[in-house]
């Protein structure tokens, strides 16, 4: 039974067509976007919680002009990546895998070793997993700058601190 028959049986008048012309969805335009720079100190922060907040800022979820198909987010600088914390036994059990496409070419590294050698990769990898899997996600990831210590070359942008 279709909806039209049910409406006629119940005596309900359909008014849906009257509302269609009054509503409009806002679409962000390049001229409307104002980018800000944020500074995040990763010292003693939990990896997943930090990554989810950073991903939301990169996407622009907190802005009024958010559009899922358009880059309306801000730039984020993460410092002290080598001092990040993880919960549970992830330091010894979480592994990062890469494959060279040759037989026997699977390489695995534990999180503790990866943090020691490439602390920026750990945060970048976590944030990348929370971004869209498309060209837009790749574009958003370019706005993330991660540094192992407190020194960064973006002082001229005067980044605002971001509470995580």
């Amino acid at each position: 039974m279709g909806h039209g028959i049910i409406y006629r049986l119940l005596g309900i008048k359909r008014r849906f067509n009257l509302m269609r012309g009054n509503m409009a969805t806002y679409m962000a335009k390049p001229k409307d976007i104002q980018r800000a720079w944020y500074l995040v100190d990763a010292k003693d922060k939990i990896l997943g919680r930090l990554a989810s907040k950073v991903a939301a800022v990169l996407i622009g979820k907190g802005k009024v002009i958010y559009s899922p198909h358009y880059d309306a987010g801000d730039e984020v600088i993460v410092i002290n990546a080598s001092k990040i914390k993880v919960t549970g036994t992830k330091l010894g059990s979480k592994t990062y895998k890469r494959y060279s496409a040759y037989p026997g070419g699977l390489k695995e590294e534990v999180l503790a070793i990866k943090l020691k050698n490439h602390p920026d990769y750990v945060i970048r990898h976590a944030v990348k997993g929370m971004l869209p899997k498309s060209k837009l996600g790749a574009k958003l990831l370019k706005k993330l700058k991660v540094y192992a210590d407190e020194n960064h070359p973006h002082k001229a942008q005067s980044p605002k601190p971001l509470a995580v």
Side-chain angles (χ1 to χ4, degrees):
M1 211 183 246
H3 290 294
I5 296 170
I6 293 172
Y7 287 134
R8 274 187 243 125
L9 290 174
L10 296 175
I12 300 172
K13 293 182 181 178
R14 293 177 56 188
R15 297 178 189 249
F16 299 117
N17 289 337
L18 297 175
M19 295 190 301
R20 286 189 186 175
N22 298 336
M23 291 187 270
T25 302
Y26 174 77
M27 295 292 176
K29 297 167 195 62
K31 64 178 181 166
D32 298 336
I33 305 299
Q34 294 178 348
R35 304 226 187 267
W37 284 74
Y38 290 102
L39 181 69
V40 178
D41 189 2
K43 185 177 182 183
D44 297 329
K45 300 287 191 291
I46 296 172
L47 176 62
R49 293 169 195 263
L50 175 97
S52 63
K53 296 280 185 178
V54 168
V57 172
L58 288 173
I59 294 171
K61 280 275 183 120
K63 292 186 169 186
V64 178
I65 60 170
Y66 166 72
S67 297
H69 67 283
Y70 192 75
D71 175 17
D74 298 319
E75 307 263 349
V76 178
I77 304 162
V78 180
I79 58 172
N80 291 324
S82 59
K83 297 175 181 152
I84 195 93
K85 299 287 181 205
V86 290
T87 58
T89 60
K90 291 186 194 87
L91 271 177
S93 62
K94 182 174 175 59
T95 58
Y96 292 95
K97 298 178 182 180
R98 59 181 205 248
Y99 184 60
S100 68
Y102 285 98
L106 180 65
K107 310 281 187 203
E108 292 184 351
E109 266 187 306
V110 181
L111 176 60
I113 296 170
K114 200 69 164 172
L115 262 176
K116 192 173 93 174
N117 296 337
H118 303 286
D120 56 329
Y121 174 83
V122 174
I123 293 178
R124 185 174 302 280
H125 182 76
V127 172
K128 182 181 178 181
M130 298 179 186
L131 293 176
K133 299 350 178 230
S134 63
K135 291 179 186 177
L136 177 63
K139 185 177 177 184
L140 294 172
L141 193 62
K142 289 179 185 176
K143 298 190 308 181
L144 174 66
K145 319 296 192 241
V146 184
Y147 300 99
D149 55 359
E150 292 182 0
N151 303 324
H152 64 88
H154 305 287
K155 291 184 179 29
Q157 281 75 24
S158 59
K160 296 179 269 189
L162 181 67
V164 178

